[in-house]
Amino acid sequence: MHFDAIGRVPGDPILSLMEAYAQDPNPRKFDLGVGVYKDAQGLTPIPHSVKLAEARLMEQQTTKIYIGGHGEPAFGKVINELVLGADSPLIRDKRAGASQTPGGTGALRLSADFIAQCLPGRGVWLSDPTWPIHESIFAKAGVKVSHYPYVGRDNRLDIEGMLTALAAAPKGDVVLLHACCHNPTGFDPSHDDWRRILDVVRKRELLPLIDFAYQGFGDGLEQDAWSTRLFAAELPEVLITSSCSKNFGLYRDRTGALIVCAKTADKLIDIRSQLANIARNLWSTPPDHGAAVVATILGDPELKNLWVDEVETMRLRIAQLRSGLVEALEPHGLRERFAHIGVQRGMFSYTGLSPEQVKQLRDQHSVYMVGTGRANVAGIDATRLDLLAEAIADVCK
Ligand code: LMR
């Protein structure tokens, strides 16, 4: 029959952890797998600002008619300002345009197809390691994938290795950079490092594609945009993918954008015509709800202030969990070994635990994390840090 030859593929290594965790009957289990924020109660709440915006939309929305290929202009405006800064000359000069996409992943898919179709022959350089879906999205779009080193054997940022590899990248290739809160490692370049990366990008005439999925989870909403704004100010052309999944808690509403910074306002119109055309063949027009929520929040000073506070609360909680875990490991003589957890930023930590240790943690202690040793710090239950530290110490014996 038609389907006889179709085999089975393994489940997504990150998403399948959610299922395995849910099925584990152990009440002492820990979910450090998929990148979602959890509060002190272990819940991933809908931010209050989002609930208020949703209530307003329910009342005021009068139609569900299609929105255009680039989404709702009000969303495009606020997301551009959030990412590039409200006073950005790029916005003033109409050189930056946001296309609404189904999540940050949709923005990545749109950029991959844009590169494949409009910049044929250009390869993309990804950090080693990176979010696994970066690898598959570009490969499936037919873009050649190469890697630059990112983390050394000592489980520290390998900035020299990264710069050396990029300095040898073919001119014109695309380099994917994580704006902040690198996924999976949590290691971010310093401001000086970013300036050196910028130099290499400029010299090799690389096109930066900046993945900005965790704005507000590192050092703050504005601080986290520093590298993106530096590149957008210093280079004529930049691609930026932005996600509202984490900072607005809109995970399942699939809300994101691809922002293109072009040399001129006229060129931006050309590029946006291509993006609308590509998107039409991918998802036709983007989903509206999450983007309408974001536009409502960022368009209203009171809701925006509330949201800014809510993001800051999430950020501070993650930072506390990081230092709390390092402290909890101290009595086991492991403070030094895991000191990097306090240095890393955002939800994720490359713990340095081996795949065998990760398996042991899961099998013997019901601690779930990605096989590469990536832990979602934002998923830790702060009241049970000692228990988690004990489990880690046990597999480090
Ligand atoms: C993660 O890396 O856990 C998140 O970005 C969620 C996902 O879609 O993989």
Side-chain angles (χ1 to χ4, degrees):
M1 288 304 290
H2 298 295
F3 299 156
D4 284 354
I6 301 174
R8 203 171 292 180
V9 292
D12 178 87
I14 297 176
L15 297 182
S16 21
L17 278 176
M18 285 173 88
E19 283 160 42
Y21 174 80
Q23 278 161 17
D24 188 336
N26 184 353
R28 288 151 66 103
K29 61 189 176 179
F30 280 92
D31 178 11
L32 314 184
V34 68
V36 296
Y37 171 82
K38 292 194 184 170
D39 65 12
Q41 283 70 46
L43 301 171
T44 304
I46 303 173
H48 199 45
S49 51
V50 169
K51 286 298 250 184
L52 291 172
E54 285 184 317
R56 204 179 284 182
L57 284 170
M58 287 291 274
E59 218 192 352
Q60 294 176 357
Q61 222 168 32
T62 53
T63 180
K64 292 279 186 192
I65 195 173
Y66 298 119
I67 43 176
H70 296 291
E72 187 52 47
F75 171 76
K77 177 178 183 297
V78 294
I79 206 74
N80 245 348
E81 290 175 358
L82 183 68
V83 169
L84 296 170
D87 54 359
S88 164
L90 281 136
I91 298 178
R92 183 196 61 212
D93 299 342
K94 299 194 179 351
R95 285 179 44 218
S99 300
Q100 189 175 315
T101 55
T105 310
L108 285 160
R109 177 68 211 213
L110 184 57
S111 16
D113 278 8
F114 170 72
I115 293 161
Q117 291 176 33
C118 300
L119 301 170
R122 313 290 185 98
V124 66
W125 290 73
L126 306 178
S127 63
D128 177 19
T130 193
W131 186 47
I133 310 306
H134 284 153
E135 310 273 356
S136 48
I137 280 186
F138 289 97
K140 280 181 198 290
V143 179
K144 180 177 176 233
V145 174
S146 307
H147 298 95
Y148 56 86
Y150 196 73
V151 169
R153 283 174 178 277
D154 55 353
N155 196 24
R156 292 288 186 282
L157 176 68
D158 179 11
I159 188 69
E160 300 306 329
M162 173 180 181
L163 292 169
T164 307
L166 291 182
K171 279 199 174 176
D173 266 9
V174 178
V175 55
L176 190 148
L177 301 162
H178 300 227
C180 67
C181 310
H182 183 270
N183 181 5
T185 69
F187 289 116
D188 287 341
S190 67
H191 284 194
D192 277 351
D193 294 337
W194 275 115
R195 287 197 189 89
R196 294 177 69 198
I197 298 167
L198 174 66
D199 271 352
V200 176
V201 165
R202 203 186 259 128
K203 276 198 196 107
R204 296 305 301 166
E205 295 167 23
L206 303 175
L207 172 63
L209 165 55
I210 304 181
D211 189 2
F212 201 3
Y214 299 93
Q215 185 170 5
F217 277 29
D219 292 317
L221 282 162
E222 292 296 306
Q223 292 87 337
D224 290 349
W226 188 86
S227 56
T228 304
R229 292 178 189 174
L230 173 76
F231 275 57
E234 295 284 332
L235 298 169
E237 296 167 328
V238 180
L239 300 173
I240 305 157
T241 55
S242 161
S243 169
C244 303
S245 296
K246 327 281 162 154
N247 51 12
F248 285 87
L250 284 167
Y251 306 89
R252 64 171 66 165
D253 283 318
R254 311 310 299 136
T255 310
L258 170 59
I259 298 176
V260 177
C261 304
K263 217 150 90 181
T264 64
D266 200 45
K267 186 46 69 188
L268 181 65
I269 296 171
D270 293 342
I271 293 165
R272 282 169 67 76
S273 74
Q274 297 284 350
L275 294 179
N277 179 266
I278 296 167
R280 177 71 164 145
N281 289 281
L282 287 170
W283 49 73
S284 191
T285 59
D288 169 67
H289 180 74
V293 167
V294 170
T296 305
I297 294 173
L298 297 182
D300 177 303
E302 245 177 67
L303 283 182
K304 183 172 176 181
N305 282 342
L306 175 59
W307 172 73
V308 168
D309 285 350
E310 291 186 289
V311 178
E312 187 62 2
T313 302
M314 291 194 273
R315 186 184 80 78
L316 291 175
R317 177 176 155 76
I318 298 171
Q320 276 164 9
L321 287 167
R322 285 188 176 282
S323 48
L325 181 56
V326 178
E327 269 165 41
L329 287 160
E330 160 109 70
H332 302 281
L334 292 171
R335 175 184 266 276
E336 216 26 54
R337 172 155 174 201
F338 289 99
H340 54 270
I341 294 176
V343 175
Q344 295 158 334
R345 286 284 177 275
M347 298 178 114
F348 302 118
S349 169
Y350 227 38
T351 55
L353 294 168
S354 68
E356 294 72 34
Q357 288 169 317
V358 170
K359 184 168 178 330
Q360 209 181 329
L361 271 174
R362 177 174 161 169
D363 294 348
Q364 293 171 16
H365 301 277
S366 291
V367 175
Y368 289 77
M369 65 173 79
V370 180
T372 52
R374 185 195 85 168
N376 173 27
V377 180
I380 297 176
D381 173 355
T383 61
R384 296 189 297 136
L385 274 170
D386 290 343
L387 196 65
L388 179 61
E390 264 172 42
I392 294 175
D394 182 49
V395 304
C396 288
K397 274 198 290 224

